[in-house]
Structures are given as structure tokens and as C-alpha cells.
């Protein structure tokens, strides 16, 4: 049975909701099933995309078109180069086009220069792939890196009472890749915010960020023995030997949660949270998070707690912390799903007998009932 958490995100105020939804449409009821014709129109049809990823790819293509950014390309299975509307050209990437404001592009440049030893950052993907969670991570937390007072306010909105002051924001962070003192593997967090609690304790929040990803990540060929030791000794899990923990879609959460626990065990902090951030309507990521919760014991002192936050909630916290205009940019790019509804022109009555797959229903009915 899933256990309730001792740390919960703060509420969304009516003013913040109105700020991000000025038209008052409210949340979209479901991610639309985007027709193949619409995907091809924007040069983003990928046959293997699941429903959410196809919709997110379209939202990113619309963002690129709005900003007049040149499209990128890829090599298909036949060796042919094809345009890809959910990416930007390498030159546009070098110019910072994947980041919402120039200040974040500056943060990214510095982070790449001073990246941690062993850090696995795909710079081309970071700069040119609009759909990737890597640029999303910097767009969410890059300004917090530049302004720790802002980071403090965002944490106060997001996790009330947990962090009195933010003291550092780190990207692609691990306390020691491959070091058996920790998990003995190369797991790392997308971002970590360190600080102090209202009582002066050393605290951290370690983030794993997903956008269109489903948590069906390639697992390690072998799991380290140290990972097994942490899983058993920490008492984080109802049963550390349950096979589901070691397989997709849960194994990445399991590895990183153990990494967060190892930071507490090695006295790098007094209290820590491991937080998944994913869009509310990315149902595969949300299903994985709920499934992971069923493996966890009730939180207690000394445990690195797991918290599942929606991307939308993080954007709301950024708005409530004072960056209203920037939060609108984040919402528009990553979470304004009503833009897809407008793109699909569902209110257009000109062709009512063609369904979303492009099938002529009139002809289909005639064939079925001559």
C-alpha cells in the first residue's frame, strides 16, 4: 500500500492559476490524439511516438515556429536526412535557442565548462532537442542558480517549511560517480538544490525531471553490489528484493532514490528529498511514480523521502515566487495543451465525416452497409 508523505507540496493559489490561464479554460481534459496529418504538416511524425510524446512534440514545434527558429534534422533508417520540427539547427542551438532567456543560456555555457568529472551531458541534445528534459531542467532551475534568494522563495512555495535558505543549485550532480561509498554506479540527479532548514539542519532536494520520457530507460547491464546494500539496510522499501524495483519503469527511480539515501548515510546532509518532476498528463511517467510509491515504507527520520511533483506545480511555484512573466513563458512552452486544441481545429464543420485518423467515415459506412 502506498504511504502518505511527511513532506507535501504547497497549494496553488487562485491568482497564480489565473495568471497561467488568463482565458479561464481550466486544465485540458486529456492529451489529444494528434492526427498523423497534423504531425506531418509540422515535420514531426515519428511512428514510434506514444500519445503524450506526439502531443508534446507538436507543442515544441509550435514553440519553434512562434520564435522563427530554424528546424533541425535527423538521419532516418534509410540514411536520408530529414527535417525535424521538434528540434532546432545546430547554429540556433549554439545561439541559445533552446533556452527561454539569454541568462539561462549563459548558465548552461558555464555548467558545460565546469561540469562534474564523469558527467554524461549530450551537448547536441541539450542545445538542439526541444523535446528533451535536459533543456527543460535548465529552463526550470537555471535562473535559480543565478539568484539563490529566488531559489529560496521557489522552495518555500513548492515545499513549505522544508528549506529556510537555498545555498547552492547543482546540475547533473552526483556525490561520486562510480564511488562505492555511494551507489557504486554512475547514477546522477538532473538538479540538486541544497540549503538549510528552519531549524538549521542541512537539507537537499534532488530532482529527476521528465518531459515526454516514460521512465522506460535503459537499465545498467548489471547493478552494483553497493546498491543492493543500500536498498536492504536503508529500510526505504517494503521488500528490497521485490523484482519490480530492479526493472523498468521503476529501476531509475530506485537507483536515484538509493543515491539520495547514500548522501544521508555518508553525512552529506541531515534531511533529503528525492523528487520526480513530470507533466501531469504524461500518464506513463505518472503511473510509474504511483507504482513506485507502493514499494516504499512510511517515511521516517533518516529516510530520503520520495515526492512526486507535477511540472505544472513547479511552474506555479516559480510564478508565486515573483517570476510571473517567466512562468508564463514556461507554461506556454511546456504545458499549454490548449494550443494543440486550437491547432487541430476541432470546431471546423467543413468535413464532419472524416475522423481524426483521416478515415472518410461516409465511405466506410457505405462499404459496411451497402
Amino acid at each position: 500500500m502506498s504511504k502518505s508523505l511527511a513532506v507535501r507540496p504547497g497549494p496553488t493559489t487562485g491568482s497564480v492559476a489565473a495568471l497561467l490561464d488568463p482565458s479561464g479554460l481550466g486544465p485540458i481534459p486529456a492529451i489529444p490524439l494528434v492526427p498523423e496529418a497534423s504531425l506531418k504538416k509540422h515535420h514531426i511524425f515519428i511512428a514510434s511516438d506514444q500519445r503524450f510524446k506526439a502531443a508534446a512534440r507538436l507543442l515544441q514545434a509550435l514553440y519553434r515556429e512562434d520564435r522563427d527558429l530554424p528546424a533541425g534534422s535527423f538521419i532516418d533508417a534509410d540514411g536520408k536526412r530529414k527535417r525535424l520540427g521538434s528540434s532546432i539547427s545546430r547554429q540556433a542551438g549554439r545561439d541559445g535557442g533552446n533556452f527561454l532567456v539569454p541568462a539561462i543560456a549563459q548558465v548552461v555555457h558555464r555548467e558545460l565548462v565546469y561540469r562534474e568529472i564523469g558527467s554524461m551531458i549530450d551537448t547536441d541534445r541539450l542545445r538542439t532537442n526541444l523535446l528533451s528534459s535536459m533543456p527543460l531542467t535548465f529552463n526550470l532551475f537555471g535562473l535559480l542558480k543565478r539568484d539563490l534568494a529566488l531559489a529560496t522563495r521557489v522552495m518555500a512555495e513548492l515545499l513549505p517549511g522544508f528549506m529556510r535558505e537555498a545555498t547552492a543549485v547543482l546540475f547533473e550532480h552526483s556525490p561520486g560517480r562510480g564511488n562505492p561509498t555511494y551507489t557504486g554506479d554512475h547514477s546522477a540527479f538532473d538538479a540538486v538544490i541544497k540549503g538549510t532548514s528552519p531549524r538549521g539542519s542541512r537539507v537537499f532536494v534532488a530532482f529527476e525531471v521528465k518531459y515526454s520520457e516514460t521512465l522506460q530507460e535503459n537499465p545498467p547491464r548489471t547493478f552494483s553490489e553497493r546498491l543492493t546494500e543500500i536498498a536492504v539496510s536503508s529500510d526505504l522499501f517494503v521488500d528490497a528484493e521485490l523484482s519490480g524495483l530492479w526493472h523498468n519503469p521503476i529501476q531509475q527511480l530506485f537507483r536515484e532514490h538509493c543515491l539520495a539515501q547514500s548522501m544521508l548515510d555518508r553525512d552529506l546532509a541531515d534531511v533529503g528529498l528525492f523528487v520526480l518532476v513530470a507533466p501531469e498528463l504524461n500518464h506513463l511517467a505518472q503511473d510509474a511514480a504511483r507504482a513506485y510509491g507502493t514499494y516504499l515504507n512510511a517515511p521516517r527520520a533518516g529516510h530520503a523521502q520520495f515526492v512526486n511533483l507535477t511540472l505544472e506545480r513547479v511552474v506555479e511555484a516559480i510564478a508565486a515566487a515573483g517570476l510571473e512573466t517567466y512562468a508564463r513563458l514556461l507554461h506556454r512552452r511546456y504545458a499549454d495543451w490548449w494550443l494543440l486544441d486550437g491547432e487541430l481545429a476541432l470546431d471546423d464543420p467543413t468535413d464532419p465525416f472524416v475522423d481524426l485518423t483521416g478515415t472518410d467515415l461516409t465511405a466506410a459506412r457505405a462499404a459496411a452497409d451497402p
Side-chain angles (χ1 to χ4, degrees), residues 6-8 152 155-166 193-207 264 269-275 303-305 307:
V7 177
R8 295 185 179 277
T152 298
M155 288 297 101
E157 295 288 343
L158 196 60
L159 299 162
F162 182 73
M163 186 177 291
R164 179 187 64 194
E165 180 183 14
I193 299 180
K194 295 183 176 183
T196 56
S197 75
R199 295 185 177 183
S201 300
R202 300 164 301 161
V203 301
F204 70 82
V205 183
F207 293 94
L264 298 182
D270 302 306
V271 184
L273 302 180
F274 171 49
V275 176
H303 275 184
Q305 294 183 39
V307 180

Side-chain angles (χ1 to χ4, degrees), residues 130-152:
L130 300 173
L131 196 63
S132 170
S133 60
M134 295 175 65
L136 169 59
T137 299
F138 281 100
N139 281 326
L140 284 175
F141 302 116
L143 295 182
L144 280 61
K145 172 86 174 186
R146 291 170 57 97
D147 184 348
L148 292 178
L150 171 63
T152 298

Side-chain angles (χ1 to χ4, degrees), residues 74-344:
F74 72 105
I75 305 297
D76 68 9
D78 297 323
K80 297 179 180 179
R81 182 169 293 278
K82 289 189 175 181
R83 186 180 182 189
L84 183 62
S86 58
S87 67
I88 57 177
S89 69
R90 288 187 175 181
Q91 184 57 57
R94 286 191 291 268
D95 292 341
N98 210 3
F99 307 105
L100 290 173
V101 293
I104 294 177
Q106 293 171 5
V107 170
V108 171
H109 180 67
R110 186 172 183 83
E111 288 297 315
L112 289 175
V113 171
Y114 287 100
R115 74 186 80 175
E116 294 177 3
I117 295 174
S119 175
M120 300 177 67
I121 298 178
D122 183 334
T123 56
D124 188 59
R125 181 177 176 84
L126 173 63
R127 289 171 171 157
T128 65
N129 189 329
L130 300 173
L131 196 63
S132 170
S133 60
M134 295 175 65
L136 169 59
T137 299
F138 281 100
N139 281 326
L140 284 175
F141 302 116
L143 295 182
L144 280 61
K145 172 86 174 186
R146 291 170 57 97
D147 184 348
L148 292 178
L150 171 63
T152 298
R153 297 197 303 274
V154 171
M155 288 297 101
E157 295 288 343
L158 196 60
L159 299 162
F162 182 73
M163 186 177 291
R164 179 187 64 194
E165 180 183 14
T167 57
V169 178
L170 308 173
F171 293 99
E172 191 59 25
H173 175 66
S174 169
R177 289 173 176 81
N179 188 333
T181 301
Y182 300 100
T183 55
D185 61 17
H186 290 266
S187 298
F189 305 113
D190 290 325
V192 174
I193 299 180
K194 295 183 176 183
T196 56
S197 75
R199 295 185 177 183
S201 300
R202 300 164 301 161
V203 301
F204 70 82
V205 183
F207 293 94
E208 174 61 32
V209 178
K210 300 296 184 188
Y211 185 51
S212 63
E213 300 91 343
T214 65
L215 283 164
Q216 292 288 342
E217 308 291 331
N218 291 328
R221 292 182 179 179
T222 60
F223 290 91
S224 70
E225 293 182 5
R226 177 66 181 136
L227 192 64
T228 303
E229 293 174 7
I230 297 170
V232 172
S233 65
S234 66
D235 198 34
L236 287 172
F237 308 104
V238 173
D239 184 350
E241 295 184 0
L242 290 173
S243 62
L245 284 169
W246 304 83
H247 294 89
N248 281 327
I250 288 174
Q251 59 85 19
Q252 186 185 14
L253 297 177
F254 168 61
R255 288 187 289 110
E256 293 187 34
H257 197 175
C258 286
L259 181 61
Q261 183 63 41
S262 75
M263 293 170 66
L264 298 182
D265 294 342
R266 303 307 300 172
D267 197 34
L268 297 186
D270 302 306
V271 184
L273 302 180
F274 171 49
V275 176
L276 174 67
V277 174
E280 182 177 7
L281 294 179
N282 184 340
H283 63 283
L284 294 176
Q286 296 299 336
D287 287 349
R290 283 188 285 270
Y292 184 62
T294 65
Y295 289 86
L296 301 178
N297 278 320
R300 61 172 185 167
H303 275 184
Q305 294 183 39
F306 172 69
V307 180
N308 182 29
L309 292 176
T310 66
L311 170 63
E312 291 81 355
R313 180 68 198 99
V314 178
V315 174
E316 290 163 357
I318 291 171
L323 289 190
E324 296 180 353
T325 299
Y326 184 71
R328 281 196 293 266
L329 292 176
L330 278 167
H331 175 73
R332 160 64 183 81
R333 175 167 174 181
Y334 291 109
D336 192 353
W337 304 109
W338 284 112
L339 292 173
L340 304 191
D341 187 84
E343 178 69 18
L344 299 178

